[in-house]
Amino acid sequence: MDFASKHPAHGGAAVMGRRRVLAALGGIGLAALTAYSALGAATARAADAAAVANWPEKPVRLIVPYPAGGASDVVARLMAKELNAVWKQPVVVENRAGANGNIGAAITAKAAPDGYTLLLMDVSSLTNSPALYPDLNYSPTKDLAAITIVEYSPHLLVVRKDFPANNLDEMIAYAKAHPGKLNFGETQGSITHLGGIVLAKQAGIDINFIGYKGGAQIATDLVGGQIDMTLNSYLATHALVEGGKVKMLAVASPGKFPPIPDTPVLKDRFPDFVTGSWQGLLTTGGTPPAIVDKIYKDVAAIVARPDMQAKFAELGAVPVPGTPADFHKFLVEKTDFWTKVIKENHISVN
């Protein structure tokens, strides 16, 4: 029998006393811990505020993971000029092409997390790569910090100029009457390729996919009549439409596309069918949120200007500057969607 049992009054009081003391000490400890945590959070916020107040203090590198002259490069150089004026620091465009954009993206992912290395690229490369490249050495949604989507330019569904159909319904009817006879130009594993697969399934048609190294070759063969149809960017294709060299049947935008408001929208016929080129701006994962937010706000202010909107319109694009959180959610959702398409159709880049 222990002391408390033998002397219940004395032992019980002692135990209760000790419990009250421990409870009090625990309360003090909890209060101290809470205060310490609050102090730590306040200190972190102050450090972030101090870091962003003087940012940037040196030149900023803007990586484009494609060759010079393409859509991403054009947008990057346009934005670099404007950000240079706002930040009073050089913004240097650096082309690091290769592996569907993954070389430049990986460089950004492995850079110092301070916002001084930015990445501007077609978001489709980021959403396709995890499924297309099993040995990818970075995670687009974990090792990169989404800043904003700068602009969007839709794909156009176009056919050769002498194709025996002048609208979407006629094309589908012709394809069903000639199963397996239509040749669709694509770049293996690209959104053009994946979009073509989804379109064929939703339309219930059987078409052949002919692989190319890039959109320029696809356009050349479409004009020459070597292939029947493709999905290709507005920037690369609309001039051919205006010149009468190809026929445009529809646009793959979320709704009516302002530069071509009378063109039928594929989404109206096929739910959720939206493809095109989203040019996104990202930086290294782990960059302080205050710096990410500053870059986003500066970019959003630039693209909101009427003169910049006019410049994007000339490129066949519209500015769509969503928040970093919006962009991250978009990346995750599109990655899940295209991963499913790639796996269900056994697509590889080999």
Side-chain angles (χ1 to χ4, degrees):
M1 184 177 294
D2 62 16
F3 182 79
S5 299
K6 291 172 67 176
H7 306 279
H10 184 106
V15 170
M16 291 301 295
R18 285 196 298 273
R19 287 176 179 172
R20 283 194 293 271
V21 170
L22 289 172
L25 289 173
I28 292 171
L30 179 60
L33 180 61
T34 301
Y36 181 80
S37 298
L39 177 61
T43 302
R45 287 194 297 271
D48 279 355
V52 77
N54 299 317
W55 192 96
E57 298 180 287
K58 61 182 182 179
V60 176
R61 178 167 65 155
L62 178 53
I63 292 178
V64 177
Y66 313 108
S72 296
D73 184 67
V74 170
V75 173
R77 293 181 187 279
L78 178 62
M79 293 306 301
K81 179 182 178 181
E82 300 299 328
L83 289 170
N84 188 342
V86 172
W87 291 341
K88 310 302 181 185
Q89 289 286 353
V91 179
V92 183
V93 175
E94 182 179 330
N95 296 93
R96 300 297 295 269
N100 194 36
N102 287 311
I103 290 177
I107 291 171
T108 308
K110 299 176 189 307
D114 54 14
Y116 285 100
T117 301
L118 303 178
L119 173 72
L120 195 143
M121 69 184 294
D122 191 326
V123 177
S124 65
S125 297
L126 293 173
T127 60
N128 295 356
S129 288
L132 289 174
Y133 299 90
D135 297 326
L136 197 65
N137 61 351
Y138 74 99
S139 167
T141 55
K142 295 178 182 178
D143 298 327
L144 293 171
I147 298 174
T148 189
I149 297 177
V150 179
E151 56 89 354
Y152 165 74
S153 183
H155 284 152
L156 303 180
L157 178 63
V158 288
V159 297
R160 54 184 167 84
K161 65 180 180 181
D162 57 348
F163 189 79
N166 295 306
N167 58 53
L168 187 59
D169 288 336
E170 290 178 1
M171 183 277 289
I172 293 173
Y174 184 85
K176 288 183 175 179
H178 302 82
K181 300 297 183 183
L182 299 187
N183 293 325
F184 184 103
E186 49 84 4
T187 303
Q188 189 74 2
S190 69
I191 288 294
T192 293
H193 183 197
L194 303 179
I197 290 173
V198 174
L199 178 64
K201 284 193 170 184
Q202 293 192 2
I205 58 178
D206 178 16
I207 58 179
N208 294 321
F209 290 94
I210 310 298
Y212 287 83
K213 291 183 178 180
Q217 293 174 310
I218 294 172
T220 297
D221 276 8
L222 186 65
V223 170
Q226 281 78 38
I227 55 176
D228 299 297
M229 60 192 300
T230 192
L231 280 165
N232 208 355
S233 70
Y234 180 102
L235 178 63
T237 311
H238 194 253
L240 301 177
V241 175
E242 290 186 320
K245 296 180 179 181
V246 300
K247 289 193 289 190
M248 177 173 62
L249 303 185
V251 60
S253 51
K256 292 293 185 183
F257 190 57
I260 45 174
D262 297 327
T263 303
V265 178
L266 284 167
K267 186 181 176 185
D268 292 344
R269 178 72 176 271
F270 306 111
D272 299 323
F273 189 89
V274 177
T275 63
S277 173
W278 287 268
Q279 296 297 332
L281 185 66
L282 307 98
T283 190
T284 310
T287 296
I291 291 177
V292 171
D293 193 55
K294 173 180 171 50
I295 299 171
Y296 155 65
K297 288 177 178 177
D298 289 343
V299 170
I302 289 169
V303 302
R305 293 181 352 221
D307 64 313
M308 289 298 291
Q309 294 190 11
K311 289 178 181 179
F312 282 122
E314 290 174 5
L315 297 174
V318 292
V320 285
T323 67
D326 291 336
F327 186 13
H328 180 78
K329 180 182 178 183
F330 179 88
L331 272 177
V332 172
E333 291 176 348
K334 288 295 184 181
T335 298
D336 290 345
F337 178 83
W338 292 119
T339 294
K340 183 179 179 182
V341 172
I342 289 166
K343 290 184 176 179
E344 286 180 348
N345 292 279
H346 309 290
I347 298 168
S348 71
V349 292
N350 298 320

